[in-house]
């Protein structure tokens, strides 16, 4: 397993930006997929963005063109750049590391989009 620590959440106005970081306790170079998920109150956790070991990315339709996921293998960190934020983006955002024998989650970071 790997420990994941998210940071960068907070309160932002609609239309604003935030960058979330997910720091891993060990190398993420070989992890098959790193991803960001979110869970709003009363809703199920949903996938937001994923990036595989080859750098290929996949986004949920509701964030395409606004969010960007990236990974820095040298820093063992995955990022989620969030632009043009909307009130409906309000949720706890979780980082996930997925590989054979590993399915690890961070503790989450709160993102609140409100005026």
């Amino acid at each position: 397993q790997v420990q994941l620590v998210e940071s960068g959440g907070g309160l932002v106005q609609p239309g604003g930006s935030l960058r979330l970081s997910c720091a891993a306790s060990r190398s993420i170079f070989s992890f098959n997929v790193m991803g960001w998920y979110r869970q709003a109150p009363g809703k199920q956790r949903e996938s937001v963005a994923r990036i595989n070991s080859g750098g290929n990315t996949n986004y949920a339709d509701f964030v395409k063109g606004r969010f960007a996921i990236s990974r820095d293998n040298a820093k063992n960190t995955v990022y989620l750049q969030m632009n043009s934020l909307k009130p409906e983006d309000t949720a706890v955002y979780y980082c996930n590391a997925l590989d054979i024998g590993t399915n690890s989650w961070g503790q989450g970071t709160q993102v609140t989009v409100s005026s």
Side-chain angles (χ1 to χ4, degrees):
Q1 295 296 318
V2 58
Q3 282 70 52
L4 304 172
V5 179
E6 301 97 335
S7 61
L11 174 64
V12 63
Q13 292 186 343
S17 298
L18 283 174
R19 189 176 80 155
L20 305 183
S21 298
C22 171
S25 60
R26 61 179 179 88
S27 174
I28 63 170
F29 178 78
S30 63
F31 275 95
N32 189 26
V33 180
M34 300 291 298
W36 286 96
Y37 292 73
R38 71 186 187 186
Q39 188 168 18
K43 295 186 177 181
Q44 289 189 332
R45 190 173 297 189
E46 58 185 359
S47 176
V48 175
R50 292 175 292 174
I51 184 167
N52 67 15
S53 56
N56 298 306
T57 58
N58 179 270
Y59 297 94
D61 286 343
F62 51 78
V63 302
K64 282 183 179 177
R66 300 190 298 125
F67 291 12
I69 187 171
S70 60
R71 60 195 292 170
D72 186 334
N73 292 330
K75 295 183 178 180
N76 298 332
T77 301
V78 178
Y79 303 98
L80 184 67
Q81 178 66 45
M82 306 187 295
N83 300 323
S84 301
L85 283 161
K86 305 175 181 180
E88 51 263 44
D89 293 319
T90 295
V92 178
Y93 284 71
Y94 297 91
C95 181
N96 174 260
L98 185 64
D99 202 357
I100 297 174
T102 297
N103 185 12
S104 297
W105 294 91
Q107 83 289 347
T109 185
Q110 176 70 46
V111 172
T112 302
V113 185
S114 174
S115 56

